[in-house]
Amino acid sequence: MTHVITWLEAIVESIPLPLLEVWGRFSYLVGFLLAVCAFGGFTFRMGDRWGFGRERQTWDLKAFLSLPLTFVLIIASGYLGSFIVLVPGAQTFESLKDLVVLLAIVLLGYPALIAVPPAYMLSDLIEGVPPDFVLNWAEGYFFWTAFVWMAYQLIGRNPDFRRARTWRRYSLFVALIMLFDPVMWGFICSGQFSSAISYRNISSALFFTLSVTWFLAPAAFLVALPLARRFGWFWAEIPRRVRERALRSRDWIWEAGRGQMPTPAGATHEGLPILIFVFTPFIALVLVMVGATAIVALRSADDDAARLATRLHQEATANIRMRLDSYLERSAAPLDAARKEGLVSLLRSQAAGSDGRAFILDNTGAMIASSAPDRDPVVESAVAGLAQQPGLSGLSDAATQFRFDHVTAKPPSRETWLTYATTYRDDSVGRHWILVTAMPEAYYLAGVRAGSSRTAMVFALTLVLSLVLAAALASMVTAPIRRIARVTHNMARGSQRASTGQPARRVGRPLAVVQ
């Protein structure tokens, strides 16, 4: 697998970076337009012909249950895929989650479509993606879902891979999504990583992940489609689930479960279903309350952990200062090579954790001793960040604390480092130094991040249970009202037949009594 990704990176590196940036911006725009169409209820297929029209979704119990089903499948597949490592330290089996997204959207339709972005975000949080990254990439989740929606448009009516026509349309979908999606994510991630890393490393990794997904998809459809049809979950075969019409027309020209059956304008009831009328406020309240609770809890934990990390960092620096005092008071002689090597050993023994950095600069910014090897990129980033901080330029007794981001290309990562710098002065021997310690934020916040992952898992479970409970309660509450509505409709149809001289058809006991 490593050789394949290296080969893909070599191909992407041969493309000029300015061209990739233009390509990424254009793909971002395409994703935005597709997201408006997908989530706005538009369609590019009306019956058996292509065009631009509207699509109407009817919400029944199965449509509502498609929401928690999609949540469970995406989160479970992402969690399982994270344990399967394809490239050590860089690539897991993310293709499994993407495959579930494709199956859910094509087989379950619009309810799965609107459930995918929040489910994908929660899945990434559970897998350890920092919340700030998920928030910064928020629009990308919607655009990615809209790209997969192209498969819904192309093969959603009958995704049977035993037909040659399905393979042709599926090949067109694969070509389109591979043309846009990887470079779009390169553009989105360029805010957290450099453009070179985003386009040449992240886009290459996504291209590989999606290639595995599209390779597995036909076999998955051969299994999933018969199951969906057997249990009555395939959207295109559920009567009245979806209706389509031209944009400027009021005549419905295609209906799920019935096919090409034009309906005269005004003959179809356009009211809001009672089920969704009862369901929407309840589930909205539950989502707002659960989401607000989770956000407040996570932010409070982050703030408390950050304050604790600041205090611990100051104490670690104070400890190093005392060890320096003890080491340097043995001799007032200038530092020679042996004493500098002793300083390096002292800093290495005091640097917290295996990833910590501690180093000493003189008043000109030259390196005196460091716990890291020469030309260490973290130390260089810390020195560059220190040069931008006020307060230490005059070598006063002030101290400063700042953060900097260290970005690596392989594997693509962005780690925030906490840095504490303070002066170390001894005028009797002319020592005007700056003592700097740096630690990755993860060293202090690893427990908080693990807690955030578990919180996201609990939030996902709460969300799924809330959706199921709301759908069940709405169905039970509205069942008598829906029965009355059906009886009233049947009575009205019977009265209309009687007024036109046609024999009334027996539809049920209430209508027979009226007759």
Side-chain angles (χ1 to χ4, degrees), residues 23 150 154 168-182 207 214:
W23 187 1
M150 293 189 297
L154 289 166
R168 290 194 297 268
R169 292 188 173 183
Y170 177 73
S171 300
L172 176 61
F173 158 71
V174 171
L176 289 174
I177 195 171
M178 297 299 276
L179 181 66
F180 294 119
D181 186 71
F207 194 95
W214 313 140

Side-chain angles (χ1 to χ4, degrees), residues 225-289:
L225 179 60
L227 290 175
R229 282 173 167 168
R230 179 179 178 182
F231 293 101
W233 286 83
F234 182 40
W235 72 270
E237 295 180 355
I238 300 176
R240 299 179 59 83
R241 167 64 66 84
V242 174
R243 288 170 290 153
E244 296 172 349
R245 61 175 173 84
L247 188 62
R248 297 183 179 274
S249 174
R250 299 186 63 183
D251 297 337
W252 300 103
I253 61 178
W254 187 88
E255 183 178 302
R258 300 175 65 186
Q260 197 85 8
M261 296 186 67
T263 302
T268 304
H269 180 63
E270 298 293 338
L272 187 67
I274 297 176
L275 187 63
I276 192 173
F277 183 79
V278 176
F279 174 86
T280 302
F282 178 80
I283 193 60
L285 176 62
V286 172
L287 294 181
V288 169
M289 294 303 296

